[in-house]
């Protein structure tokens, strides 16, 4: 059977499943006890496995299969989720994602995943390397499967103690879940132990336990003269202790453990035995699956009602683009018809054209809405990214996403991902301080990064706000002077607010330490230019000590905009309405010349007056000869300039067209549009006039 | 025996040039051109070709031949090369001929003032008609334009 026709469907659905897997995993990590999330994950993984197997992507199927085995244990309460398992599962997801990408790119979806598979199998067998909490996986409690890795020194200490006739105990303590002060209970246990022996190694470490960084259980190696049962009952006397297991070790079991620890550390080595090992462990999981699935479906249903799926169909993006193009042509014809109707002065015709205008207005709304995509499609990968980043930087960060349902044009969505990633990385890396710094300044040890999207007027705002240390304007100024971006004299004139906007200046990067994450000098200027090229803007607000807010302003759409048409000589130009502040007329005697620049007074300040006819070298018009000049005041953030034109033609909805690939980028021109009379008019880029 | 190709024949001054027909999208009469400021002088501007904005260049200007007034015969040949759509303004275009690839010879160093690298070859058709085949990718090569400009400028 030819599978190619199903391939695109497979890729789409796999991506959906991977995304939902990622999201659910994040949810589970925040809430490790919630078995209903595990059910959701299990089902997604299972479907993915089924699809991959049907399509013949064996690697994909077998990796999902291993994940399923682990998840099956978890949902049947045979295994408790812990850091190591999460990390392995996340790694598996990454591997799956790259496989699907490979398939999308026309590859076979093959990848070397033996190390991940081995790790997953180890988890299924109950062997969790030291990185994992040794808490209370019941399957792992058998005395042979001990989880703490000992280093050579600790090992030899234990060995010697045995030779000298001491008892070496492996003790596993679980504190009751409702215990309020688990660190205190743990301390009491340690205190007790220290009185009659010595703790060689504990997991989590003593420091972590003191700071409550453990999960209701800990394990330790202990040297004492007393017997295992005696120790057990002593520990049980401490209140709020759930269970205690104490196993006495002899030299043989100690040696075996050391061997095992070495084996788990050297993950790829046993990879060759992987398929063989997978089969037996898989078989118990498989029959359980169908029965469990039905039951899960019922259980998981209520928890999913929050995101009731709307009825949708998948449409090829290209078809939408074609629809958009066809509609643009219709719009041009409509404008042309309106123009003709107004010339002919026939009531019936005028009415029909007006009605057509209304219908096409509605149609425009719908076509635009079709192209609107919720920002969630970009946002959804951020929680995972921030989690990984925070982990690698050893910070604690909550990412709070609001307004993910806000919609933006697909073209904007496609472009906005990278700049946002950059800003988020900045917030995590430079914005939020380290745990120590936060505690020292009296903040909660967990930083918060808010990612917000919302509508306002004809724009969508996306804000990235952290509650970190904020930006010191003086530092920015000094750094800018040092890098030669501004001079000492200029710096004196900068307000705090202006100073921090220097972050966006080219060649500016404040990071004092270049970290792995950000601060490689490819800085915010790239972000800024990207966003400006989308017709948007980005500004930064910061309160030292309180945090920083990067606010990105984006246009709702890129393809149809409202514009003011102007005439200069025999040429017509369009200026986007969004950047126009005011139109007006100035008399010749109101124009002053300051340092050779023509300026006019506008709202109590002086702004430069620029001649469009000179800038564009328009042959048949010269505004300087005019007694009264029509001007258009345009703005770029808070700076303004006046552009001299000959006549205003009026406002119009215009369809933005690009100038074709052949033409190089032209300063001051952002594109072209087709007017009602079929002529091409160029669209002025007002940003080019304001530095 | 090599294959036959169809070639659009157009004129610049007295010379006859050819472009393979599958590179040509349409041939249009002269239409209003919107000037594009701040660009090369041979780029005459952009036109609206049924809803698509297409830049047009004057082929005379491109080959540094003296530019002339447009006449009734002036045509715009819209070509599509390397996914670029560009219009060429030519003096006239009124013939499509079949040509055998074998009849195209490598060009001499300079033909009618045009550098050899813009040419694919020269074909002899009929008694004493020479047809100059254009190398479109080279004609539309932008990096080369920059050099040209800097030489002139």
């Amino acid at each position: 059977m030819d599978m190619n026709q199903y391939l695109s469907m497979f890729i789409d659905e796999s991506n959906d499943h991977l995304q939902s897997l990622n999201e659910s995993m994040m949810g589970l990590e925040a809430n490790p006890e919630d078995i209903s999330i595990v059910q959701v994950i299990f089902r997604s993984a299972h479907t993915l496995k089924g699809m991959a197997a049907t399509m013949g992507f064996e690697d994909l199927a077998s990796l999902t299969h291993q994940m399923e085995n682990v998840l099956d244990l978890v949902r049947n309460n045979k295994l408790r989720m812990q850091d190591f398992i999460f990390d392995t599962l996340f790694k598996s997801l990454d591997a799956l994602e790259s496989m699907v990408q490979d398939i999308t790119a026309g590859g076979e979806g093959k990848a070397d995943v033996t190390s991940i598979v081995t790790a997953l199998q180890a988890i299924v067998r109950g062997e969790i390397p030291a990185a994992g909490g040794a808490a209370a996986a019941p399957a792992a409690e058998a005395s042979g499967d001990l989880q703490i890795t000992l280093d050579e020194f600790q090992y030899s200490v234990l060995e010697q103690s045995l030779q000298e006739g001491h008892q070496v105990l492996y003790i596993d303590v679980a504190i009751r879940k409702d215990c309020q002060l688990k660190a205190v209970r743990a301390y009491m246990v340690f205190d007790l132990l220290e009185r009659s022996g010595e703790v060689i190694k504990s997991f989590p470490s003593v420091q972590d336990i003191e700071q409550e960084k453990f999960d209701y259980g800990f394990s330790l190696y202990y040297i004492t003269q007393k017997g295992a049962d005696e120790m057990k009952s002593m520990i049980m006397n401490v209140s709020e202790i759930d269970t205690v297991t104490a196993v006495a070790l002899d030299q043989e079991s100690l040696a075996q453990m050391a061997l095992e620890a070495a084996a788990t550390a050297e993950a790829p080595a046993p990879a060759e035995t992987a398929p063989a090992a997978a089969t037996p462990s898989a078989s118990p999981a498989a029959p359980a699956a169908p029965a469990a699935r039905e039951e899960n479906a019922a259980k998981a249903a209520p928890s999913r009602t929050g995101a009731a799926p709307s009825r949708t169909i998948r449409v090829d993006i290209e078809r939408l683009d074609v629809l958009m193009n066809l509609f643009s042509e219709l719009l041009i014809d409509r404008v042309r018809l309106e123009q003709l109707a107004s010339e002919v002065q026939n009531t019936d015709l005028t009415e029909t054209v007006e009605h057509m205008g209304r219908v096409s207005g509605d149609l425009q709304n719908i076509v635009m809405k079709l192209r609107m995509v919720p920002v969630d499609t970009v946002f959804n990968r951020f929680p995972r990214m921030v989690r990984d980043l925070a982990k690698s930087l050893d910070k604690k960060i909550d990412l709070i996403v609001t307004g993910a349902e806000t919609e933006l044009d697909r073209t904007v969505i496609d472009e906005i991902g990278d700049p946002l990633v950059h800003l988020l990385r900045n917030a995590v890396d430079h914005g939020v301080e380290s745990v120590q710094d936060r505690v020292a300044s009296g903040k909660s040890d967990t930083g918060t990064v808010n990612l917000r999207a919302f509508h306002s007027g004809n724009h969508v705002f996306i804000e990235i706000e952290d509650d970190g240390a904020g930006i010191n304007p003086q530092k920015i100024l000094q750094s800018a002077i040092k890098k030669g971006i501004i001079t000492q004299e200029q710096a004196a004139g900068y307000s705090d607010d202006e100073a921090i906007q220097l972050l966006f200046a080219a060649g500016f990067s404040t990071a004092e330490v270049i970290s792995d994450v950000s601060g490689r000098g490819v800085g915010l200027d790239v972000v800024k230019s990207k966003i400006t090229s989308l017709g948007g803007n980005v500004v930064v607000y910061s309160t030292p000590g309180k945090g920083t807010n990067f606010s990105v302003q984006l246009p709702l759409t890129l393809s149809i905009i409202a514009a003011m048409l102007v005439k200069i000589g025999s040429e017509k130009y369009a200026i986007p309405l969004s950047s126009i502040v005011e139109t007006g007329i100035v008399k010749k005697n109101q124009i002053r010349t300051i340092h050779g620049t023509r300026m006019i007074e506008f709202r109590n300040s002086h702004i430069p007056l620029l001649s469009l006819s000179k800038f564009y070298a328009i042959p048949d018009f010269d505004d300087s000869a005019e007694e009264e000049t029509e001007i258009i005041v345009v703005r770029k953030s808070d700076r303004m300039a006046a552009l001299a034109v000959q006549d205003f033609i009026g406002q119009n909805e215009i369809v933005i067209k690009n100038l074709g690939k052949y033409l190089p980028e032209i300063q001051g021109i952002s594109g072209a549009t087709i007017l009602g009379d079929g002529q091409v008019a160029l669209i002025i880029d007002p940003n080019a006039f304001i530095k | 025996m090599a294959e036959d190709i169809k070639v659009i024949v157009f004129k610049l001054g007295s010379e006859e040039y050819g472009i393979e027909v599958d590179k040509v999208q349409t041939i249009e009469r002269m239409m209003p051109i919107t000037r594009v400021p701040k660009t090369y002088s041979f780029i005459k501007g952009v036109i609206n070709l049924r809803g698509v904005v297409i830049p047009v260049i004057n082929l005379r200007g491109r080959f540094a031949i003296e530019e002339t007034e447009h006449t009734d015969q002036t045509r715009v040949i819209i070509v599509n090369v390397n996914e670029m759509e560009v219009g060429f303004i030519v003096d006239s275009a009124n013939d499509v001929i079949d040509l055998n690839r074998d009849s195209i010879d490598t060009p001499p160093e300079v033909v009618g003032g045009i550098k050899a690298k813009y040419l694919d070859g020269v074909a002899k058709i009929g008694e004493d008609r020479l047809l100059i085949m254009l190398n479109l990718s080279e004609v539309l090569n932008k990096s080369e334009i920059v050099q040209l400009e800097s030489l002139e400028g």
Side-chain angles (χ1 to χ4, degrees), chain A residues 147-203:
Chain A
Q147 300 110 341
I148 309 177
T149 23
L150 295 165
D151 62 30
E152 243 174 58
F153 171 69
Q154 290 159 335
Y155 181 71
S156 66
V157 168
L158 291 179
E159 211 172 26
Q160 269 181 20
S161 315
L162 277 173
Q163 280 163 5
E164 286 165 23
H166 294 285
Q167 285 271 17
V168 171
L169 300 183
Y170 175 79
I171 302 177
D172 205 339
V173 182
I175 298 176
R176 273 189 11 215
K177 296 235 161 86
D178 54 358
C179 171
Q180 294 295 322
L181 294 161
K182 50 186 185 174
V184 176
R185 296 296 165 210
Y187 173 77
M188 288 168 73
V189 172
F190 273 95
D191 193 47
L192 187 85
L193 292 170
E194 301 281 356
R195 268 184 243 162
S196 44
E198 197 181 347
V199 177
I200 296 300
K201 164 117 182 173
S202 80
F203 186 87

Side-chain angles (χ1 to χ4, degrees), chain A residues 329 332 571-573 615-619 657-667 669 672-675 678-682, chain B residues 32-40 42-43 46-48 50-55 57 62 82-86 139-140 142 145:
Chain A
E329 294 200 26
I332 292 160
E571 300 183 357
K572 288 174 186 169
Y573 289 86
F615 187 82
Y616 292 129
I618 298 166
K657 308 250 174 192
N658 63 33
L659 287 171
K661 280 189 187 159
Y662 179 66
L663 288 183
E665 204 156 293
I666 297 157
Q667 200 203 357
I669 300 289
T673 186
I674 294 168
L675 300 177
Q679 284 241 35
V680 180
L682 300 178
Chain B
I33 296 177
T34 302
R35 188 184 67 96
V36 175
K38 292 176 171 283
T39 184
Y40 310 115
F42 60 81
I43 296 180
V46 287
I47 55 166
N48 164 22
R50 290 177 278 280
V52 182
V53 176
I54 295 177
I57 67 179
R62 181 69 184 85
N82 306 334
E83 290 178 16
M84 284 190 291
E85 286 180 317
V86 179
V139 172
L140 296 180
K142 273 183 279 188
I145 298 174

